[in-house]
Amino acid sequence: MTETAPAEKAPFRRRRKDARPSELTTAALELFVERGYAATRLDDVAARAGVSKGTLYLYFRSKEALFKAVIEEGMLTVLAAAEQRLADYRGPATDLLREMLLDWWQQIGSTPMAGVSKLILCESSNFPQLAEYYQEQVITRGRALLRGVLRRGIEGGEFRALDIEAAIGVIIAPLLMLAISRFSLRLCSQEVTAADYLTTHVDLLLDGLRHHPDPAGATGTKAADERLR
Amino acid sequence: MTETAPAEKAPFRRRRKDARPSELTTAALELFVERGYAATRLDDVAARAGVSKGTLYLYFRSKEALFKAVIEEGMLTVLAAAEQRLADYRGPATDLLREMLLDWWQQIGSTPMAGVSKLILCESSNFPQLAEYYQEQVITRGRALLRGVLRRGIEGGEFRALDIEAAIGVIIAPLLMLAISRFSLRLCSQEVTAADYLTTHVDLLLDGLRHHPDPAGATGTKAADERLR
Amino acid sequence: MTETAPAEKAPFRRRRKDARPSELTTAALELFVERGYAATRLDDVAARAGVSKGTLYLYFRSKEALFKAVIEEGMLTVLAAAEQRLADYRGPATDLLREMLLDWWQQIGSTPMAGVSKLILCESSNFPQLAEYYQEQVITRGRALLRGVLRRGIEGGEFRALDIEAAIGVIIAPLLMLAISRFSLRLCSQEVTAADYLTTHVDLLLDGLRHHPDPAGATGTKAADERLR
Amino acid sequence: MTETAPAEKAPFRRRRKDARPSELTTAALELFVERGYAATRLDDVAARAGVSKGTLYLYFRSKEALFKAVIEEGMLTVLAAAEQRLADYRGPATDLLREMLLDWWQQIGSTPMAGVSKLILCESSNFPQLAEYYQEQVITRGRALLRGVLRRGIEGGEFRALDIEAAIGVIIAPLLMLAISRFSLRLCSQEVTAADYLTTHVDLLLDGLRHHPDPAGATGTKAADERLR
DNA sequence: AATGAATGAGTTTTCATTCAT
DNA sequence: TATGAATGAAAACTCATTCAT
């Protein structure tokens, strides 16, 4: 408003203008994650972004469009981070798996992007198409990455044989809960630092995956199968 | 509804009156879990319960009161199920842990009560006092149960030493995700049956916990610690 | 319910039954006066009368019918009290006027019936027909009584000549305000007992009415007339 | 609406914004006075003000807040009018008293502000705090003004001795009834113009207050005292 | 006669969306 | 572009009225 350098006016404006959409989605993400979609008022989003409510409608057709933009922007970020690592990484699957989990935490789980996971979890039934899209673009790809590592580990004798699809979910769950817990009740990571939690998860997991002769678990498994019909 | 004794006609009204609250909370739970608190209209809750909107207000002062009742009723159910198992169970910690996890799934995770977990996860920041209450009454108690088993296992040499608090969270997370996934996107248990998922979780976990000499994991742990600061 | 003397049952019931309507109107009058018609809930009327809400509908077709019954019952009481005094009273108009005002206070103004005045004042525009009826039956009759006394006093030389219709209103106003004030803010009778207030009113009034030669007031009156057009 | 300066088009919005609250309270005052608080629908207030229902909530948090604003705005107007007259007026108390009463009618009683008196009278038990505030700010101050004049008149020998507090109420009552009657049944001023009514009140009152020797009233007073205990 | 559970029309209140400036 | 006043559809909530018992 009180521009001291009139020569710079145009670029400044340009920059603001270009930055607007992501300023808005950033504010929206925070509030959507904290309160949920329906409970978030556009008034509050605008206020947090420091603009008027009307301005939101210059960039997004509707509240739903804003929400979708938030999710899509988050997905782009996630996928961009992931693609970088697809990597020609070579070496033991054990190391690779550990690497992937810690990477995920550093690139995604510990950032605001983790909020997108919470949104998908909480709002998926209200936005089925968006959820499906997320499923295809993010979840399926992420699972594929893990599947590759697990297969390699099993084939190479590092990991014992197991139900790979199920294992993928079991591996992801603690990461996801850790990320989501940042925005709500600490259901799982109460009184524990993220580092301790992750370390314990990785250690337990790699120990559990490791191929060793002890046949004791098998009995238990059968018993469990019976209990679950 | 299924009147077997026509002679008992008189208490019909009375029985209805007594049954109403839980009919209403049942309908409300379903919708709150599916759509979230804010997106659930009381009209729909009433319709699902087969009553008029006004009837809801005969039993619950407000939408918020209904929500709290839903959570509290769920908590009672969960705690009642848990208390039953506190048990004088004796035997290997390994068996006990497996037992507990499968029990949780059968008593809670696979029932409508699992929805309460999703609600707490999604709505905790909108109902902080309720979340705190849930934390104290349910989470803390549940963690205490697991803590007891892990300690016994470690002291008895069945399990290796580890960060017990962190391990509790890691153990719970896959169960919770499995339960919550029933009401939204299958973030973790995609294309896998609950039984396979649980079996894999328990097997991996017990393998990972088992006390065996291989010291390889330690190195990895240190590397991870460094990455996480 | 638990009648110990079954022989007396019938008459007891009968008495209750006959008394019901006035028990209900009594409770209704209290609440209507305190809160106004619209703000009074039938639930509360029923509760104050110690019956269920449904019972009200056994005696009154609707809330409006109940209100009208309250007013009409009040009017009957008022008129009955008035008729008694129409009297073949003889004597100085001064004494008669004082008598009438004090009587009104004792028979009406100091009783629950005074509430009817407040109701008419506050609700007349919501029940124009009822107000008109009250006007005809109560106000007009009351004014006629006063008119008679004032005329007699003027004709007999006790009172000076004045605008009789206006004087009637001026005489009534303090009585009415005193009565109404019992149910709301003491706009006029703050910190004064009803007896002091009435005494002062009557004294001032009779002094003011008395025929005395002093011509000073005339000037003032003319000035006032000019100010008011 | 009545734009005399078309060049000033820009501030139209601004002017509207500033004017809105009082447009709304004006409409609200009319309806509250006519129907009472509870029976007045915000729909109707909005319609009378020529805006939509939602607009009301742009300026007032709730119906109750609107009501309080109506009363407070009315009080400000009343007090502002009163302060103007506090006056260094000198002269006979008789003239001053007449002046005050006629002023009140012209400044308040004959204006829409008179409606506030009706609201306070009718709604005081539903808004006790507001009533108390009104009592302190308006009634107490108004009584103080009258008290001053009466004292001066008595001390100066113009008025006879009497119960000043009671007299204040007796003096106010006809004014108040006249004002309130404009909005409901003419309980007191039926078939009489305001001017005639006021003139009669003032004349009667000043006559009644005047100091004259006749001791006749005393007897009557004693009789009245006995009747009232 | 009496009850009180149930109803649904009516009211208050909220908030996404529009649009004149 | 940006604003924010205004809108009105939709949701929460109330309560007079009904009716099965």
Side-chain angles (χ1 to χ4, degrees), chain C residues 184-206:
Chain C
S184 59
L185 208 55
R186 302 262 175 281
L187 288 173
C188 296
S189 54
Q190 204 183 11
E191 314 245 337
V192 176
T193 66
D196 287 345
Y197 185 87
L198 283 172
T199 302
T200 301
H201 176 39
V202 170
D203 284 356
L204 264 179
L205 175 64
L206 294 179

Side-chain angles (χ1 to χ4, degrees), chain C residues 121 124-125, chain D residues 33-34 109 111-116 118 178-186:
Chain C
L121 194 71
S124 60
S125 44
Chain D
V33 168
E34 184 182 333
T111 75
M113 285 308 101
V116 175
K118 187 188 173 191
L178 175 61
I180 290 174
S181 290
R182 293 175 47 221
F183 311 106
S184 60
L185 208 55
R186 303 258 175 286

Side-chain angles (χ1 to χ4, degrees), chain B residues 177-198:
Chain B
M177 286 303 311
L178 176 62
I180 290 174
S181 290
R182 295 175 46 221
F183 310 107
S184 59
L185 209 54
R186 303 262 177 279
L187 288 173
C188 296
S189 55
Q190 207 183 8
E191 313 245 338
V192 177
T193 67
D196 288 346
Y197 185 87
L198 282 172

Side-chain angles (χ1 to χ4, degrees), chain C residues 34-35 98-99 103 106 122 124-126 139 143 160 169 184 188 190 203 207 214 220-221 225 227, chain D residues 34-35 98-99 103 106 122 124-126 143 160 169 184 187-188 190 199 203 207 210 220-221 227:
Chain C
E34 183 182 334
R35 304 180 190 174
R98 175 184 296 116
E99 196 74 12
D103 260 6
Q106 286 185 322
C122 296
S124 60
S125 44
N126 292 322
I139 301 180
R143 294 180 65 92
R160 63 181 173 83
S184 59
C188 296
Q190 204 183 11
D203 284 356
D207 254 15
D214 188 344
T221 302
D225 278 346
R227 289 201 48 171
Chain D
E34 184 182 333
R35 305 182 190 173
R98 175 185 297 116
E99 196 75 13
D103 261 6
Q106 286 186 321
C122 295
S124 61
S125 44
N126 292 323
R143 295 181 65 94
R160 62 182 174 82
S184 60
L187 287 173
C188 296
Q190 204 182 15
T199 301
D203 285 353
D207 256 11
R210 191 169 304 128
T221 300
R227 291 201 48 173

Side-chain angles (χ1 to χ4, degrees), chain A residues 125-146:
Chain A
S125 43
N126 291 324
F127 300 91
Q129 295 187 349
L130 194 60
E132 195 177 347
Y133 178 55
Y134 187 87
Q135 174 100 293
E136 289 162 10
Q137 297 299 312
V138 177
I139 303 180
T140 302
R141 291 194 196 180
R143 294 181 65 94
L145 284 179
L146 276 177

Side-chain angles (χ1 to χ4, degrees), chain D residues 28-98:
Chain D
L29 174 59
E30 290 172 17
L31 287 167
F32 283 149
V33 168
E34 184 182 333
R35 305 182 190 173
Y37 174 78
T40 298
R41 286 169 303 158
L42 291 189
D43 268 328
D44 293 340
V45 174
R48 178 163 302 201
V51 301
S52 78
K53 196 170 24 168
T55 299
L56 276 177
Y57 284 85
L58 242 41
Y59 298 92
F60 303 97
R61 201 188 347 270
S62 66
K63 188 182 183 183
E64 185 170 342
L66 172 62
F67 182 71
K68 289 179 176 169
V70 165
I71 299 291
E72 277 162 23
E73 190 178 308
M75 283 170 56
L76 286 181
T77 307
V78 169
L79 291 177
E83 301 303 313
Q84 270 190 318
R85 306 282 169 160
L86 269 183
D88 42 1
Y89 184 92
R90 293 297 152 199
T94 299
D95 294 352
L96 182 51
L97 184 54
R98 175 185 297 116

